[in-house]
Amino acid sequence: MKIEFAPRSLPLERRLQTASVAQWVFSFVCLAQCCVAAFIGLFFTRFWLLSVLYFTWWMLDWEKPKMGGRRIQFLQNCVVWRYMRDYFPITLVKTAELDPRQNYLMAFHPHGVLAAGAFVNFCTGASDFSTLFPGITPHLMMLSLWFRIPFFRDYLMSGGLVSSEKESASYVLKKPEGGNALTIIVGGAQEALDARPGSCTLLLKNRKGFVRLAIQHGTPLVPVFSFGENDLYDQVWNPKGSWLRVIQQRLQQVMGISLPLFHARGIFQYSFGLVPYRRPICTVVGKPIPVQRKQKPSNEEVDQLHQKYLDELSKLFEEHKAKYNIPEDKHLEFI
């Protein structure tokens, strides 16, 4: 394999952008392991009391990821996220106003490999979410497993991430003062196994839990499509039925997380690595779909709203795809 090295004359800002993205990628690949190692390792040093105190705090604070998390505005507005935004770049597009007196359930598509668009747009201030949607506070749901890792859980909550449990969703959506947007990446970890450049396949056909949740709380549904999300990485070919796909699905069932084998470019060369390609991401927030509240909706009512959501999501995709170089004959496929 021929390795193509990056020129040393890259401007400082470009190098900072690459470094910020690399930091984000490796934080999810390595930081969780480092946090566990630090927590356990401190027990065997003279600083063992730090781990004991943190463990006590951790137990007292155990339910916090289900109760809106603990965002830290300073960290959300850190300059490193602006460098990350400009690396791709990532942009957030508003197509309709959101009333700050209401709560909203935003359904984000597609998951991609690492959900870069979802993170930058809804967990940082880099894309000016608060300016586009004044009075709305975004909360992004993440797999509960990650909030069981010491220290790492606090890093996640600082960005507005909350646990992906029904209690967590209800806590945000039932706030009477309104002004909250709960973002759910509907395809989840399983959809990441189909994330590759040019893919328009969404794991959504039988995903109806978010629709039922919206009805139970009377929360408007907002379709969100992130153009370019699947273009950041190449993935090892894993068609359904292949031995690799079977192993990945088994691990996903056991661990709750998928393990796509992906690659893109490196930090100092362009041929191979875990740093994503510099390809634009444009996250388009659609028009809210009104939802009538009902505590115990029937399956027919859920199916009806689910179909309406699929139609609105397809409409959003068709209206904007030409702007982002999607071929005219390319359409969303729901599986």
Side-chain angles (χ1 to χ4, degrees):
M1 180 177 65
K2 181 180 179 181
I3 302 296
E4 182 182 351
F5 288 94
R8 293 183 179 180
S9 58
L10 282 176
L12 176 60
E13 186 173 0
R14 180 82 168 268
R15 282 180 283 171
L16 287 172
Q17 291 170 4
T18 304
S20 68
V21 173
Q23 171 264 327
W24 172 72
V25 172
F26 289 108
S27 72
F28 281 94
V29 175
C30 303
L31 184 57
Q33 299 175 33
C34 293
C35 287
V36 173
F39 178 72
I40 296 175
L42 283 172
F43 275 114
F44 300 96
T45 71
R46 60 179 178 175
F47 302 107
W48 59 269
L49 184 59
L50 292 177
S51 283
V52 172
L53 290 174
Y54 182 84
F55 180 77
T56 304
W57 160 254
W58 185 12
M59 291 298 99
L60 294 173
D61 197 53
W62 183 263
E63 299 295 325
K64 194 61 179 179
K66 300 179 184 179
M67 302 173 63
R70 186 186 300 104
R71 66 181 63 244
I72 300 176
Q73 205 67 35
F74 170 75
L75 294 179
Q76 284 189 297
N77 294 326
C78 185
V79 67
V80 69
W81 306 128
R82 294 201 291 274
Y83 284 124
M84 180 175 171
R85 173 201 64 193
D86 294 338
Y87 170 86
F88 296 99
I90 295 175
T91 55
L92 183 64
V93 176
K94 178 176 76 171
T95 63
E97 296 291 339
L98 298 185
D99 186 352
R101 295 171 296 180
Q102 281 192 304
N103 295 319
Y104 295 91
L105 197 160
M106 292 183 169
F108 182 94
H109 315 273
H111 184 286
V113 172
L114 294 178
F119 177 79
V120 170
N121 288 313
F122 304 115
C123 295
T124 79
S127 59
D128 296 323
F129 182 95
S130 60
T131 301
L132 289 172
F133 302 103
I136 304 293
T137 301
H139 304 264
L140 178 63
M141 299 195 83
M142 190 175 188
L143 192 66
S144 304
L145 171 68
W146 296 108
F147 293 95
R148 296 169 189 163
I149 301 175
F151 302 122
F152 191 63
R153 68 189 289 275
D154 301 285
Y155 168 70
L156 296 177
M157 286 193 291
S158 70
L161 285 153
V162 295
S163 174
S164 60
E165 299 178 57
K166 187 175 180 180
E167 298 88 346
S168 178
S170 296
Y171 182 87
V172 174
L173 296 179
K174 71 182 182 181
K175 289 186 175 182
E177 69 275 14
N180 293 280
L182 180 70
T183 303
I184 300 177
I185 307 178
V186 180
Q190 190 176 346
E191 190 177 76
L193 298 177
D194 290 311
R196 48 179 45 88
S199 174
C200 291
T201 301
L202 301 180
L203 187 61
L204 186 57
K205 193 173 183 179
N206 295 313
R207 297 268 172 131
K208 302 177 182 180
F210 73 104
V211 174
R212 185 178 297 276
L213 186 65
I215 296 176
Q216 290 174 340
H217 292 275
T219 307
L221 273 172
V222 182
V224 180
F225 194 88
S226 195
F227 291 90
E229 194 73 49
N230 281 337
D231 299 336
L232 306 185
Y233 287 99
D234 294 316
Q235 188 171 168
V236 175
W237 185 243
N238 59 341
K240 291 183 178 180
S242 66
W243 64 269
L244 177 58
R245 187 61 167 255
V246 171
I247 292 174
Q248 289 174 324
Q249 289 176 333
R250 292 284 176 84
L251 288 173
Q252 195 266 329
Q253 292 171 357
V254 173
M255 301 170 60
I257 59 175
S258 64
L259 296 172
L261 298 180
F262 59 91
H263 61 88
R265 52 159 290 189
I267 300 176
F268 303 111
Q269 44 79 26
Y270 296 141
S271 301
F272 189 84
L274 295 179
V275 178
Y277 296 120
R278 295 179 67 99
R279 293 172 180 170
I281 299 174
C282 187
T283 304
V284 182
V285 179
K287 181 181 178 181
I289 302 171
V291 175
Q292 187 68 36
R293 182 176 182 177
K294 189 172 183 180
Q295 189 62 38
K296 295 183 179 180
S298 65
N299 292 334
E300 292 75 16
E301 290 170 321
V302 172
D303 290 342
Q304 184 179 8
L305 181 57
H306 183 261
Q307 185 58 53
K308 184 176 181 180
Y309 178 81
L310 295 182
D311 294 340
E312 288 297 321
L313 179 61
S314 296
K315 182 180 177 182
L316 181 71
F317 178 81
E318 296 296 330
E319 287 178 350
H320 293 271
K321 68 180 183 180
K323 304 174 188 176
Y324 308 110
N325 301 317
I326 307 295
E328 184 64 31
D329 61 347
K330 196 81 170 180
H331 308 288
L332 289 182
E333 179 185 358
F334 302 121
I335 59 173

